[in-house]
Amino acid sequence: MGTKGERTRSEIIEAAKGLFYRRGFGQTSFSDIVEQTGIRRGNINHYFRTKQDILKAVVDQRASEYRAILSDWDTRHRTPKQRLHRFVQMVAAYRHELTRYGCPIGTLCGELGKESWDSQNAARILFDVFCDWLTTQFEQLGEPTQARARALHLLGRAEGITVMAHVYGDPALVATEVSALEKWINGL
Amino acid sequence: MGTKGERTRSEIIEAAKGLFYRRGFGQTSFSDIVEQTGIRRGNINHYFRTKQDILKAVVDQRASEYRAILSDWDTRHRTPKQRLHRFVQMVAAYRHELTRYGCPIGTLCGELGKESWDSQNAARILFDVFCDWLTTQFEQLGEPTQARARALHLLGRAEGITVMAHVYGDPALVATEVSALEKWINGL
């Protein structure tokens, strides 16, 4: 696949990524992707036969982005506590987007976990990326047997308050919960 | 509307309620409701012109059920603390269903909050029912200025751990978080 082909493929993935997030996976059609990119349906199908194929590429793309961010934090922040703080600060920084559309991972997994799709497995890896990384931080902080439970607790609290902020259209809810989480991290 | 009409209407609402929860709102079609109830499309349209009309009736139905449950708890449990415990015990009791399909309120609001529907308002009332009731309990417990923030915190934690249980197919996550919430309630 030449350079132009790679660019076209990336353009399709980028458009689908945004549409799946803003509109939902089920409510995004090939026509929406055609409209947004200006790439003809036949050309899109040259790269992706089905919407599930596009989903897989979008999830891979998100997973790569997240891994790059976490790897950058590993380099920049020396202690596990600093890294945990960086994670909750990221949640706070995205609060306006989260309030508008919900969590990109949580809403996608919620939708794909219904029996109409039953393909939540396809997106679970995005939670794994954060859960594994958070588990490593909590392990390094001590009490390794508690590490995964703490990672899931932290992810759950970030997810949950994102749901409430999305429902009530109130980004301040995220900021309040992030403060509580920072205290919790400091106390560990 | 006679008795038979009322029964037909209820049957449609009940079927749609289950389908919206298990399959999602967007992925439920009139055909699915026809198939499940055996009621002809024309007859369904006699009661509900659009799927949005059915959604409104489903939300009203859920809101009535929830209000009846909360009113029952108000009668059965004397103190606000007992009532708060009753709420988290309900979450624990539903953990298997929550793990399979996610939270019926959270996943519906998540879906409707996307720009493809932008009709989250229609379902927000379901969170309001619980949020208002929880706020009342926290007010009675003291520190009324903190009451609504605590209600949203509690709802957020219940929602968040439900997302994680749904994603990882693990009802034990709900049970663990419920224990933590019970400690938190006891400490207030």
Side-chain angles (χ1 to χ4, degrees):
Chain A
M1 205 180 282
T3 303
K4 182 155 183 292
E6 277 298 343
R7 269 206 308 274
T8 306
R9 192 173 181 279
S10 293
E11 213 181 317
I12 296 164
I13 294 170
E14 207 50 45
K17 191 174 89 169
L19 287 162
F20 292 170
Y21 181 37
R22 295 191 310 271
R23 302 180 58 89
F25 174 70
Q27 296 299 312
T28 297
S29 65
F30 270 94
S31 308
D32 294 327
I33 300 169
V34 169
E35 194 179 320
Q36 172 136 344
T37 57
I39 301 168
R40 279 176 302 113
R41 170 72 187 254
N43 202 10
I44 292 173
N45 281 134
H46 172 72
Y47 298 94
F48 304 102
R49 204 172 52 81
T50 67
K51 211 168 71 171
Q52 291 281 353
D53 293 337
I54 304 182
L55 174 68
K56 199 186 165 310
V58 165
V59 169
D60 287 349
Q61 162 72 14
R62 279 201 183 273
S64 299
E65 280 171 34
Y66 298 156
R67 285 197 193 98
I69 290 168
L70 296 176
S71 162
D72 178 59
W73 293 353
D74 282 341
T75 312
R76 283 172 192 271
H77 305 289
R78 215 170 39 83
T79 71
K81 218 168 244 196
Q82 286 170 333
R83 291 172 188 162
L84 292 169
H85 278 295
R86 189 64 195 80
F87 173 80
V88 297
Q89 281 155 15
M90 175 196 67
V91 176
Y94 278 100
R95 67 191 180 279
H96 295 286
E97 204 176 340
L98 296 172
T99 297
R100 177 60 192 90
Y101 298 112
C103 170
I105 311 179
T107 54
L108 182 63
C109 283
E111 186 180 1
L112 296 175
K114 297 290 187 185
E115 65 185 21
S116 47
W117 299 109
D118 240 342
S119 53
Q120 204 184 45
N121 287 344
R124 185 183 299 144
I125 188 181
L126 299 174
F127 271 115
D128 287 339
V129 170
F130 285 107
C131 192
D132 292 350
W133 183 85
L134 288 169
T135 299
T136 302
Q137 310 314 316
F138 284 114
E139 276 168 1
Q140 291 179 9
L141 209 58
E143 298 193 64
T145 57
Q146 292 297 307
R148 192 173 153 80
R150 283 177 174 168
L152 287 162
H153 172 82
L154 176 51
L155 275 176
R157 283 180 66 175
E159 272 304 307
I161 210 64
T162 297
V163 172
M164 303 319 297
H166 185 208
V167 167
Y168 285 108
D170 184 0
L173 293 178
V174 176
T176 305
E177 188 75 359
V178 161
S179 298
L181 284 170
E182 294 196 314
K183 269 189 208 161
W184 176 68
I185 292 166
N186 285 333
L188 289 176
Chain B
M1 205 180 281
T3 304
K4 182 155 182 292
E6 277 297 344
R7 270 205 308 272
T8 305
R9 192 174 181 278
S10 293
E11 213 181 319
I12 297 163
I13 294 170
E14 207 50 43
K17 191 175 88 171
L19 286 162
F20 292 170
Y21 181 36
R22 295 191 311 270
R23 301 180 58 90
F25 174 69
Q27 295 299 314
T28 298
S29 65
F30 269 95
S31 307
D32 294 326
I33 300 170
V34 168
E35 193 180 318
Q36 172 136 346
T37 59
I39 300 166
R40 278 175 303 115
R41 169 74 187 252
N43 202 9
I44 293 174
N45 282 134
H46 171 73
Y47 298 94
F48 303 102
R49 206 173 50 81
T50 66
K51 211 166 73 168
Q52 293 279 354
D53 293 338
I54 303 182
L55 174 67
K56 198 186 166 309
V58 165
V59 169
D60 287 348
Q61 163 72 14
R62 280 202 183 272
S64 298
E65 280 170 34
Y66 297 156
R67 285 196 192 99
I69 290 167
L70 297 175
S71 163
D72 179 59
W73 293 353
D74 282 342
T75 312
R76 283 173 192 270
H77 304 287
R78 216 169 39 81
T79 70
K81 218 168 243 198
Q82 287 170 333
R83 291 173 188 159
L84 291 169
H85 279 294
R86 189 65 194 81
F87 173 80
V88 297
Q89 282 156 16
M90 176 196 66
V91 176
Y94 277 99
R95 66 191 179 280
H96 295 287
E97 204 176 341
L98 296 172
T99 297
R100 177 61 192 90
Y101 300 111
C103 170
I105 312 179
T107 54
L108 183 63
C109 283
E111 186 179 359
L112 296 174
K114 297 290 186 184
E115 65 185 19
S116 45
W117 299 110
D118 241 342
S119 54
Q120 204 184 45
N121 286 345
R124 184 183 299 144
I125 187 181
L126 298 175
F127 271 116
D128 287 339
V129 170
F130 285 106
C131 192
D132 292 350
W133 183 84
L134 289 169
T135 300
T136 303
Q137 309 315 315
F138 284 114
E139 276 167 2
Q140 291 179 10
L141 209 58
E143 298 191 68
T145 56
Q146 291 298 307
R148 194 175 151 79
R150 284 177 173 169
L152 287 163
H153 173 81
L154 176 51
L155 275 177
R157 284 182 63 176
E159 272 305 308
I161 209 65
T162 296
V163 172
M164 302 320 295
H166 185 209
V167 167
Y168 286 108
D170 185 359
L173 293 177
V174 176
T176 305
E177 188 75 0
V178 161
S179 298
L181 285 170
E182 293 196 317
K183 269 188 207 160
W184 176 69
I185 292 167
N186 285 333
L188 290 176

